[in-house]
Amino acid sequence: MDDVDIRFFLAFLAPTLGFLVWFVKRLIDDEREERRRKKQQDSLVRALFAEIDFNTRDMERFLKRSPSEADLLKRFREDRALIPHITDARHTEIYRTRISEVHNIADGALHQTVNFYGLLEKIRVQIEGVQQASYLTLSPESRVKVIALIIESASDAAACGQELLGSLAHDHRALGLERFRFDDSRSLAELSAQRIALEGKIDALKRGRQPS
């Protein structure tokens, strides 16, 4: 009778243990997958934050250095062949290549992100219009209006970018996201000296020495 009870117990225990092993393994696999997914999401947010920061800073510099409409009109009247030099230096590689993953960020930031890159594309098209030969056929007043539209779009993009960066930093506080600070007041000589110093530290670290 005892042998029968033991066999019955083992017959019951074996599938139970099998289920527990499967269940624990499933939990471990799910946790590993969640960590992998979270790591990928954090990587995307960091990269996207840096790209948006660059583009926003570019818009801010453009707005800071843009002449007034009165100055533009004066220059256009003085030189009918003048074409303003406006470069399209936007960076969209992260957004363009990982757009299928953008939905993983917070919903509010997702809407702002799409709007931000849409504004950058709008600016690109507007800049291309200035490069067309037909631009020179416009009156000085009309040419000023075209540039004013670009400045307005850049202002919208800068404001959107600033708000978006704030949203990303808030929604992903654990990542410690901060905007890059570039001191425009530093001279080229100072920047060059800083670059050389950094390269020296990197070289020292590569050689296994402690940089001074």
Side-chain angles (χ1 to χ4, degrees), residues 22-33:
W22 173 85
F23 183 73
V24 171
K25 183 179 183 300
R26 179 65 180 271
L27 288 178
I28 294 174
D29 290 343
D30 287 348
E31 184 179 356
R32 185 182 295 115
E33 176 62 22

Side-chain angles (χ1 to χ4, degrees), residues 28-42:
I28 294 174
D29 290 343
D30 287 348
E31 184 179 356
R32 185 182 295 115
E33 176 62 22
E34 177 62 21
R35 287 199 301 267
R36 186 193 66 80
R37 187 196 65 79
K38 184 65 167 58
K39 185 177 181 180
Q40 286 184 336
Q41 179 181 345
D42 290 348

Side-chain angles (χ1 to χ4, degrees), residues 10-149:
L10 291 176
F12 173 78
L13 183 62
T16 302
L17 288 175
F19 172 77
L20 288 175
V21 170
W22 173 85
F23 183 73
V24 171
K25 183 179 183 300
R26 179 65 180 271
L27 288 178
I28 294 174
D29 290 343
D30 287 348
E31 184 179 356
R32 185 182 295 115
E33 176 62 22
E34 177 62 21
R35 287 199 301 267
R36 186 193 66 80
R37 187 196 65 79
K38 184 65 167 58
K39 185 177 181 180
Q40 286 184 336
Q41 179 181 345
D42 290 348
S43 174
L44 170 62
V45 171
R46 286 193 180 95
L48 200 59
F49 185 92
E51 185 171 83
I52 294 169
D53 183 26
F54 173 88
N55 288 315
T56 300
R57 193 167 61 254
D58 193 46
M59 295 298 104
E60 292 167 342
R61 283 199 298 263
F62 173 72
L63 293 171
K64 182 179 179 181
R65 298 172 182 176
S66 294
S68 66
E69 291 188 23
D71 288 339
L72 279 173
L73 182 58
K74 180 175 181 295
R75 295 178 64 182
F76 283 142
R77 285 173 173 170
E78 292 174 348
D79 185 359
R80 296 300 298 265
L82 176 64
I83 297 180
H85 180 66
I86 306 176
T87 57
D88 177 23
R90 65 203 170 97
H91 281 216
T92 61
E93 186 70 13
I94 302 301
Y95 178 76
R96 183 176 58 82
T97 59
R98 301 185 66 177
I99 190 170
S100 62
E101 303 172 56
V102 172
H103 68 277
N104 290 324
I105 63 179
D107 290 341
L110 173 59
H111 176 77
Q112 291 174 310
T113 301
V114 174
N115 185 47
F116 177 74
Y117 282 93
L119 286 169
L120 293 185
E121 179 63 19
K122 178 181 179 180
I123 292 170
R124 181 191 67 79
V125 174
Q126 290 174 334
I127 291 176
E128 286 183 352
V130 174
Q131 311 304 325
Q132 300 296 320
S134 58
Y135 180 72
L136 291 177
T137 65
L138 300 175
S139 67
E141 291 78 10
S142 296
R143 292 163 71 183
V144 169
K145 289 181 180 179
V146 172
I147 303 302
L149 285 176

